[in-house]
Amino acid sequence: MATSYELTMKQRSFNYLYTAAVLLIATCCHDFSSYIPAAAAFSPPHLQTSLLKTRSSSSSFKFQNSFENNHHTARKLHHGSQSSLQLHLLDPTSSLSAATEAIASSISSLFSFTGPIPFLPSLALNTLLFFSLRPKLMTMLTPEGFAHSLALGTMLWTTLGWRGWTVCVLYLFLGQAVTKVGFDEKTKLGIAEGRGGRRGPENVWGSALTGVLCAAAASQGTEFLGISTTVWLLAYVASLATKLADTFASEIGKAYGKTTFLITSLQPVPRGTEGAISLEGTIASIVGGLLLSLYAYLVVGLIPSLEGVAVATLAAFVATMVESLIGATLQEKEGFDWMSNEVVNFFNTLIGAAIAIGLGVFVLGM
């Protein structure tokens, strides 16, 4: 029979979520000590003692604001006394005020419209979001893919904030949706994506590594390697638009392509052949690239103009055609065993980003 101090699984789950929330508040605050009253305002009674011990053990920190100004409290903390701190924690007005300030600081930091976001808050928020959406995400990702996607999401939120993050999330959901189109028919023909369409780590990085590099470059300041931040953002969008265009072309072509041709010879080939193209898939490719580019322009403002939308869409389309050419001439050929789908996807997105950079600099003058 369980004793009274043993926690149920539900209580443990609450404590894990609570700890994550405390860490989120703590890492967002400029003043480390301010998170203690904020946490105490919402703390279950059995955790207040732990908070007191945690705070008293951190006497080596430089106290700021009210703790720094109150020398009497600081001296008591230094000698291990907790009575004054406990009174401070149990003061509802003070605790609520600190909690409100900490939460406001968290929101301001995490949802900044411009500039890099602190890493730890980004990690905490992504962890919370990913585990909240875990049932849905696990229908789209393998367990390893889930972990790597969490790392990817943290990197993107840290470098580009919520705007860049949502572009990648939209790519993931649209790509997964189009993969399921005609899935039963594609399965019968043996041309459906493996693992039921769920993405693994190789898919995550094959699709998004170029985007992460562009995002990191865009976060370096007004320019990086002589290329403006605006162009790096255009390249980021173009890289993901390229992969979405490729996914639309492949999945719609396999599901609805009436006649498929090998891109190098224009000879008819079965659906699903590497390097094959179709009218239906080609149109779908343009639609996929355009959808993501329009979102980046109309909704989150990563692309500054309709000309930028045109550049990203064109780059995605051309890169997708080049990807088909690579598939027809190199993939599955002797000496190119290393040229897997994921490697081809990386080159595909890299080409799309490079085209966008070239057009952005030399045509649009960005």
Side-chain angles (χ1 to χ4, degrees):
M1 181 176 177
T3 57
S4 59
Y5 62 84
E6 290 179 327
L7 298 174
T8 66
M9 185 61 69
K10 183 177 292 187
Q11 287 173 319
R12 288 178 181 175
S13 299
F14 167 78
N15 287 346
Y16 295 148
L17 289 174
Y18 173 80
T19 301
V22 170
L23 287 174
L24 176 60
I25 294 173
T27 53
C28 286
C29 290
H30 296 293
D31 175 13
F32 174 82
S33 64
S34 66
Y35 92 93
I36 292 292
F42 305 103
S43 174
H46 67 277
L47 289 179
Q48 285 197 8
T49 302
S50 298
L51 286 171
L52 285 166
K53 289 181 178 179
T54 300
R55 188 58 187 87
S56 64
S57 67
S58 62
S59 59
S60 60
F61 285 97
K62 293 181 179 179
F63 297 119
Q64 299 175 2
N65 297 334
S66 62
F67 284 100
E68 186 178 55
N69 295 329
N70 191 333
H71 300 290
H72 181 66
T73 302
R75 186 164 56 252
K76 282 192 174 185
L77 283 172
H78 181 73
H79 291 291
S81 174
Q82 298 173 354
S83 58
S84 180
L85 177 59
Q86 188 167 8
L87 287 173
H88 181 77
L89 284 172
L90 296 178
D91 179 3
T93 303
S94 177
S95 296
L96 185 59
S97 175
T100 303
E101 182 180 349
I103 293 172
S105 175
S106 300
I107 295 174
S108 176
S109 172
L110 284 168
F111 296 95
S112 173
F113 199 74
T114 58
I117 310 300
F119 170 74
L120 287 178
S122 298
L123 174 61
L125 180 60
N126 272 270
T127 301
L128 185 63
L129 289 172
F130 268 71
F131 278 91
S132 297
L133 299 172
R134 192 172 184 274
K136 174 63 176 176
L137 291 175
M138 291 307 294
T139 66
M140 306 163 63
L141 301 162
T142 65
E144 296 81 6
F146 178 88
H148 283 255
S149 294
L150 173 57
L152 170 65
T154 301
M155 292 177 190
L156 292 179
W157 200 298
T158 301
T159 52
L160 298 182
W162 64 270
R163 298 189 299 155
W165 187 87
T166 58
V167 171
C168 190
V169 169
L170 181 61
Y171 152 73
L172 174 63
F173 278 91
L174 289 177
Q176 182 68 13
V178 78
T179 298
K180 294 297 185 180
V181 172
F183 195 81
D184 291 340
E185 179 66 20
K186 288 182 284 190
T187 300
K188 291 177 183 177
L189 296 173
I191 56 176
E193 286 290 323
R195 298 178 301 210
R198 296 163 72 202
R199 268 62 174 177
E202 69 282 3
N203 305 114
V204 171
W205 297 113
S207 302
L209 179 57
T210 298
V212 169
L213 296 175
C214 292
S219 69
Q220 297 306 305
T222 56
E223 68 174 41
F224 181 69
L225 298 178
I227 299 171
S228 70
T229 295
T230 304
V231 174
W232 284 117
L233 291 174
L234 178 63
Y236 168 75
V237 174
S239 71
L240 293 177
T242 295
K243 187 63 193 78
L244 188 62
D246 173 57
T247 302
F248 267 57
S250 175
E251 298 301 332
I252 296 299
K254 288 189 289 187
Y256 299 116
K258 293 179 179 165
T259 306
T260 52
F261 304 90
L262 196 63
I263 192 172
T264 53
S265 63
L266 298 183
Q267 294 297 314
V269 292
R271 283 183 286 173
T273 302
E274 292 294 345
I277 58 174
S278 66
L279 176 62
E280 296 81 3
T282 300
I283 295 174
S285 170
I286 298 172
V287 171
L290 180 61
L291 281 176
L292 206 64
S293 301
L294 281 174
Y295 174 81
Y297 167 62
L298 294 173
V299 181
V300 296
L302 288 184
I303 294 179
S305 64
L306 284 173
E307 290 82 3
V309 172
V311 164
T313 305
L314 178 62
F317 174 74
V318 173
T320 298
M321 294 299 104
V322 173
E323 190 267 351
S324 295
L325 187 62
I326 293 173
T329 57
L330 299 179
Q331 201 170 4
E332 297 182 353
K333 299 298 189 293
E334 186 177 354
F336 288 92
D337 296 337
W338 54 271
M339 188 74 75
S340 64
N341 284 333
E342 292 69 43
V343 173
V344 173
N345 287 338
F346 170 70
F347 284 125
N348 181 29
T349 57
L350 190 64
I351 292 167
I355 293 173
I357 290 173
L359 293 176
V361 171
F362 297 109
V363 176
L364 299 184
M366 298 170 74

